[in-house]
Amino acid sequence: MSDVFGQSLPSLFFLATPEESIRQVVYRTENAGGAMADGYARVSGKVGVVAAQNGPAATLLVPPLAEAFKASVPVIAIVQEVPQAARDRNAFQELDHIKLFAACAKAIHRIDDPARVDDYVDAAVTEATSGRPGPVVLLVPKDVLAAPLPVASSRRAGYGHFPLDRYLPGAEQIKHVADLLASAERPLVVAGGGVHVSGAAPELHDMQQLVALPVATTPMGKGTVDETDPLSVGVIGYAMGDYAATHYARPLVEEADVIVFVGTRTNENATDAWRLFPPTATYVHIDMDPVEVGRNYEAVRLVGDAKLTLRAILDQLKSSPLDTREAARDQVIAQIARARIKHEQRIGPRATADGSPIRPERIMKELDALLTPDTIVVADASYSSIWMSNYLRAQRGGQRFLSPRGLAGLGWGLPMAIGAKAAGPNSPVVAVVGDGGFAHCWSELETAVRMNLPLTVIVLNNAILGYQKHSELHQFAEHTTAIDITRIDHAAIATACGARGVRVDVADDLAGALRDAMGSSAVTVIDVVTAADAFPPISAWDDDPTLSELTAGVAL
């Protein structure tokens, strides 16, 4: 462990961290601190560690730990408890933390005996990083923290990376799946976030090229393949409407005869409420978690590590006849190319629109032009993650595009970006957030400034809670009054926190503002005055009469 996210408590823990060369990244709120640890783990491949006080501080860790739990991210939360002698006596800020964290942690351990510290720390790290990764909570009473260790630690093994243990399905299953792919006429691979967790992007690329496999990704799997590759489909799921990057690639999904899920939960968003994939296809599901394999689609079960499993299938395919797939190569490439051209023609007027307020598609086009293969992009939940998934392109397999898609809590874009920057200081980091989500945690700008973690924050300032408004209109043809918010000057907030603040309300100023920010060594907020009723291409909203009327004359 080289970094831990925390404030002053547990004080004795943080007083000791400098002696161990552990950097303390001091957050402003525990909710954001947990999201920082999550982003740190996703980028570093190491356990993220966050610490907090008992009681109200501990309760604020529940949302980010729940996100990590659903998204399979290893985070260890160290929570101080009241002294043992005060337990169950209504001590100050005493709370039943075991019940509190029961639904959002793989395991919870209370360390009452200083002699067992090694046992419990090793157990926590092992549980967090093995099998399906996830969060673990260590509860430490204040008096135990102050107690001397009876015996110095003799353990030296490092368990903090993930996945800790890798294992393979049986050889017969591997051969069966290789045979299915070799003979498939219309195969499709769907790569989820588990490919990132496993570090399986190289194996996925090699299999994609050898077998002429079209590869699509889920939102969490974005970046597992180079999206500029002629065999890459893009992000599929619930946002494949008329203006989506993958809208015209639908036949590749809907007509597939063999579909291979890799490291995905086949959840609602990734499957468009389980309507996207054809019932006639043969399914293969690769995942570390046996419970997820076949959960929503009866499948050939390959329970194991994605990296090892894909490598084994690839090795088997190298000795298999691939005439069927080789004959299909040019056709698959041409089909994907046509889909991309049609999308570019469709999205062109929106992506080049000069109007003010500015369309999000124009913002994404300008940002995409400045990305490098090493850029890390983090999007908040809600619309921001859909704009990112659709209109920014991964330039290499393994590039990271982070978003809180496990539980999809609003407000975690900025803190996840801070955690990502702490883990990858040499990579440019860009956060795309809405004004609604940014309001949850803009105090963490001060954290980024104080900790010297330069990043670029793009605020889509449309003065509404867009997803909520448009979802209500779609469902009920009217909306609540809670969707309107004040158009705030976020550039001024940035300046007040010691960061650079830039306000952009003319589309022609976007490119220069983005270029300056991404080339700067300062934390920079670009507050973009954004078109309020621009909404992303959610499939279910196509041809909605209420939404069509809302955007009439301004859709471009």
Side-chain angles (χ1 to χ4, degrees):
M1 180 176 67
S2 57
D3 299 276
V4 62
F5 298 87
Q7 291 185 340
S8 294
L9 296 170
S11 299
L12 287 170
F13 174 81
F14 284 115
L15 287 170
T17 52
E19 299 175 15
E20 302 298 328
S21 299
I22 296 172
R23 175 175 59 166
Q24 180 183 1
V25 180
V26 183
Y27 54 70
R28 300 302 297 266
T29 68
E30 288 77 12
N31 189 333
M36 291 177 197
D38 180 320
Y40 179 92
R42 296 192 199 200
V43 169
S44 69
K46 301 188 296 183
V47 172
V49 181
V50 62
Q53 183 182 353
N54 50 291
T59 66
L60 293 176
L61 288 180
V62 170
L65 291 186
E67 166 66 26
F69 186 80
K70 296 288 284 186
S72 305
V73 180
V75 173
I76 291 179
I78 301 170
V79 178
Q80 178 174 289
E81 290 210 299
V82 300
Q84 293 177 89
R87 188 180 298 159
D88 298 327
R89 300 182 69 183
N90 291 328
F92 179 66
Q93 295 188 332
E94 181 182 11
L95 190 66
D96 188 338
H97 295 126
I98 292 176
K99 288 183 179 178
L100 176 70
F101 293 115
C104 61
K106 289 182 69 177
I108 305 165
H109 300 291
R110 177 182 282 135
I111 305 175
D112 282 336
D113 182 358
R116 299 287 311 278
V117 168
D118 277 358
D119 295 338
Y120 283 120
V121 170
D122 278 8
V125 176
T126 300
E127 287 158 341
T129 58
S130 61
R132 178 175 175 172
V136 176
V137 179
L138 285 174
L139 307 175
V140 190
K142 184 177 180 180
D143 55 320
V144 173
L145 280 166
L149 277 175
V151 180
S153 174
S154 62
R155 302 192 186 191
R156 295 293 180 268
Y159 301 134
H161 61 280
F162 66 99
L164 180 59
D165 302 309
R166 298 180 184 267
Y167 47 87
L168 265 172
E172 289 186 6
Q173 293 166 287
I174 294 293
K175 185 178 186 309
H176 177 48
V177 171
D179 290 344
L180 281 174
L181 286 173
S183 59
E185 295 183 1
R186 298 177 304 279
L188 176 72
V189 173
V190 181
V195 176
H196 282 305
V197 171
S198 179
E203 288 72 18
L204 181 59
H205 169 268
D206 290 350
M207 196 164 79
Q208 178 185 34
Q209 303 306 316
L210 179 68
V211 197
L213 285 174
V215 177
T217 76
T218 68
M220 284 195 67
K222 184 176 179 67
T224 53
V225 290
D226 178 352
E227 291 178 316
T228 67
D229 188 282
L231 287 165
S232 294
V233 178
V235 177
I236 62 173
Y238 74 117
M240 294 178 68
D242 286 346
Y243 289 89
T246 54
H247 176 72
Y248 296 102
R250 272 186 175 274
L252 285 162
V253 180
E254 296 170 347
E255 298 171 8
D257 59 350
V258 174
I259 296 176
V260 181
F261 296 124
V262 188
T264 171
R265 297 173 293 149
T266 61
N267 64 355
E268 183 174 8
N269 285 353
T271 63
D272 196 13
W274 309 283
R275 296 179 298 232
L276 181 59
F277 299 106
T280 55
T282 298
Y283 290 91
V284 177
H285 200 157
I286 303 169
D287 202 279
M288 285 285 286
D289 187 346
V291 177
E292 293 297 345
V293 174
R295 178 193 287 268
N296 293 311
Y297 298 88
E298 186 174 347
V300 178
R301 298 174 58 84
L302 291 182
V303 178
D305 173 67
K307 187 178 186 71
L308 294 186
T309 303
L310 290 177
R311 175 56 60 186
I313 296 171
L314 181 64
D315 290 343
Q316 184 68 45
L317 284 166
K318 288 178 179 177
S319 60
S320 302
L322 298 176
D323 297 350
T324 300
R325 296 306 316 137
E326 196 55 45
R329 183 182 298 271
D330 290 345
Q331 183 272 328
V332 172
I333 290 174
Q335 186 175 2
I336 293 173
R338 286 194 299 272
R340 290 178 180 176
I341 291 170
K342 287 182 178 179
H343 166 67
E344 290 299 325
Q345 292 170 341
R346 179 70 162 162
I347 199 65
R350 293 187 173 189
T352 58
D354 291 327
S356 181
I358 304 167
R359 288 203 65 96
E361 297 91 339
R362 174 68 185 269
I363 301 168
M364 294 300 104
K365 179 179 175 63
E366 300 293 351
L367 175 58
D368 186 62
L370 296 173
L371 298 184
T372 71
D374 295 323
T375 305
I376 298 169
V377 183
V378 184
D380 207 340
S382 196
Y383 278 177
S384 298
S385 61
I386 309 176
W387 298 125
M388 177 185 75
S389 293
N390 263 276
Y391 303 124
L392 301 182
R393 295 168 299 172
Q395 298 179 20
R396 64 175 176 87
Q399 186 170 4
R400 296 314 308 264
F401 292 81
L402 310 185
S403 58
R405 301 309 307 172
L407 207 59
L410 196 60
W412 290 329
L414 172 60
M416 286 185 75
I418 292 172
K421 187 64 178 182
N426 296 322
S427 295
V429 175
V430 179
V432 179
V433 302
D435 50 354
F438 190 48
H440 287 230
C441 61
W442 61 42
S443 58
E444 301 301 340
L445 282 174
E446 186 275 334
T447 300
V449 171
R450 173 172 29 82
M451 297 303 304
N452 191 26
L453 296 170
L455 47 83
T456 299
V457 182
I458 302 168
V459 182
L460 307 180
N461 187 348
N462 61 5
I464 62 168
L465 300 177
Y467 209 150
Q468 189 63 33
K469 176 181 179 179
H470 299 137
S471 179
E472 288 175 358
L473 286 172
H474 173 66
Q475 294 179 75
F476 313 115
E478 58 181 335
H479 62 75
T480 64
T481 59
I483 57 88
D484 292 307
I485 56 179
T486 303
R487 197 182 290 274
I488 293 168
D489 187 343
H490 300 100
I493 291 173
T495 302
C497 292
R500 291 180 66 241
V502 180
R503 191 172 178 90
V504 174
D505 54 14
V506 177
D508 286 345
D509 293 341
L510 271 170
L514 287 167
R515 190 178 301 108
D516 290 346
M518 295 172 69
S520 171
S521 59
V523 177
T524 304
V525 173
I526 304 176
D527 187 27
V528 185
V529 179
T530 308
D533 285 316
F535 55 87
I538 295 170
S539 302
W541 295 0
D542 278 355
D543 303 319
D544 182 288
T546 304
L547 294 179
S548 296
E549 182 179 349
L550 181 73
T551 57
V554 295
L556 282 182

